[in-house]
Amino acid sequence: MNDPYVIDYIKKHFPNHKTQSVADHLQLTVSQVRTIAKNHRIQKCEEYKANLKRQLIIDRKKWFEDNIPALNPTFLQEQIIFDSVIGDRYISRGVDRSVNCYYQKHFGENERGYRERKLSHLQDLQFTIKGNYLRSSSHPYYNSLHQQLYKNNINQSILHF
């Protein structure tokens, strides 16, 4: 297609507008618009691509947060978690890129039976035993506990003893 109006419109709008909106205006398919742009060496501008990337990150974060299953521990499950955290267990954020905290406890082999009994009460909260660690999945629930128990990254529950 060599229509000067179409080519001029694509030169003006393709670099910083959605390809679909350019195609709709010209009554062409997205594929046709891309072909014309490619044939005339017209590319999306860097700022437009950077904005798309920023929006993708925002959308992915929202999707991730919207799809986190609810965590509603029973009173007994909460008491088991609180009792453990007040002792020598901890809630951690993990690596720098982690968004949510998790619960973890390292234990010796002589404590395995006790930890497995705890796991039987906590399994529906996505707790597992891997090696010698009783660990929960990362979840926003643990973020609020971390904020309450670790002011300035110091376990406040230990300081009260």
Side-chain angles (χ1 to χ4, degrees), residues 35-53:
T35 300
I36 294 167
K38 182 179 177 183
N39 290 342
H40 290 87
R41 294 188 171 94
I42 305 167
Q43 297 179 342
K44 295 289 187 185
C45 76
E46 293 303 317
E47 184 180 339
Y48 179 79
K49 291 191 289 187
N51 287 337
L52 283 178
K53 185 176 179 181

Side-chain angles (χ1 to χ4, degrees), residues 59-70 126 139-140:
D59 292 345
R60 285 182 70 196
K61 181 178 180 183
K62 182 179 176 349
W63 177 87
F64 174 79
E65 290 171 351
D66 289 348
N67 286 288
I68 295 173
Q126 302 171 359
H139 195 278

Side-chain angles (χ1 to χ4, degrees), residues 26-40:
L26 295 172
Q27 296 181 346
L28 298 172
T29 66
V30 169
S31 179
Q32 288 172 316
V33 171
R34 287 187 181 137
T35 300
I36 294 167
K38 182 179 177 183
N39 290 342
H40 290 87

